[in-house]
């Protein structure tokens, strides 16, 4: 079975992430969206909440699973018997860091490949942090995150729905 692991913070999932998940679900038998437990960042949503938001946004994709992991991504990849890490690339600015991580992961295990899907152009400017900033400052984020995620963001930020 061809398993692809799509790791990330997903705080929260955006339509850019969803685009990558949808497209990779056509390339793999199973895609596991893996939320990293990264304690160095101050998240808006807890790990459980982020998993739930991803679940609700991917219900129609039968070969997509949602999970979380702690520690080294490569250990998690081994635990899941996967051989492919899926990443989305938005712009050249993403490239340097992603390239570094891909090479480090290859150093850790050369049998595991990182594949990059180019984000669809309409989402190339999109990031979870920008979505949170715009929403915090009262801007409209409709169309940037899955519709079912909007009320959760506004509730967290104590904002009225726009
Ligand atoms: O959505 P993000 O925050 O850009 O995702 C980054 C992520 C989770 C892919 C990266 O931080 C990661 O792989 N973390 C797990 C720890 C690890 O394996 N670090 C070494 C990476 S080469």
């Amino acid at each position: 079975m061809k398993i692809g692991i799509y790791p990330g913070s997903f705080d929260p999932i955006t339509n850019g992430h969803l685009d990558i998940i949808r497209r990779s679900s056509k390339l793999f038998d199973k895609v596991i969206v893996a939320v990293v437990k990264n304690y160095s960042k101050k998240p808006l949503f807890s790990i459980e909440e982020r998993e739930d938001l991803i679940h609700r946004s991917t219900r129609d994709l039968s070969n997509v699973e949602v999970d979380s992991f702690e520690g080294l991504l490569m250990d998690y990849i081994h635990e899941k018997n996967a051989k492919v890490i899926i990443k989305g690339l938005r712009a050249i600015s993403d490239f340097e860091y992603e390239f570094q991580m891909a090479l480090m992961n290859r150093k850790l295990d050369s049998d595991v490949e990182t594949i990059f899907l180019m984000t669809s152009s309409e989402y190339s400017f999109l990031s979870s942090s920008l979505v949170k900033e715009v929403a915090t400052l009262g801007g409209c984020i409709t169309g940037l995150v899955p519709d079912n995620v909007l009320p959760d963001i506004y509730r967290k930020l104590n904002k009225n729905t726009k």
Side-chain angles (χ1 to χ4, degrees), residues 7-10 17 34-36 38 41 69-75 85 87 90 97-98 100-105 108:
S9 303
F10 304 104
H17 295 131
V35 182
V36 67
N38 184 348
K41 287 188 186 175
F69 73 100
E70 199 168 358
L72 208 54
L73 172 63
M74 196 52 76
D75 289 339
I85 300 168
K87 290 294 189 79
R90 286 170 298 193
Y97 182 52
E98 290 296 344
Q100 225 180 348
M101 281 199 286
L103 292 187
M104 179 58 84
N105 280 321
L108 294 173

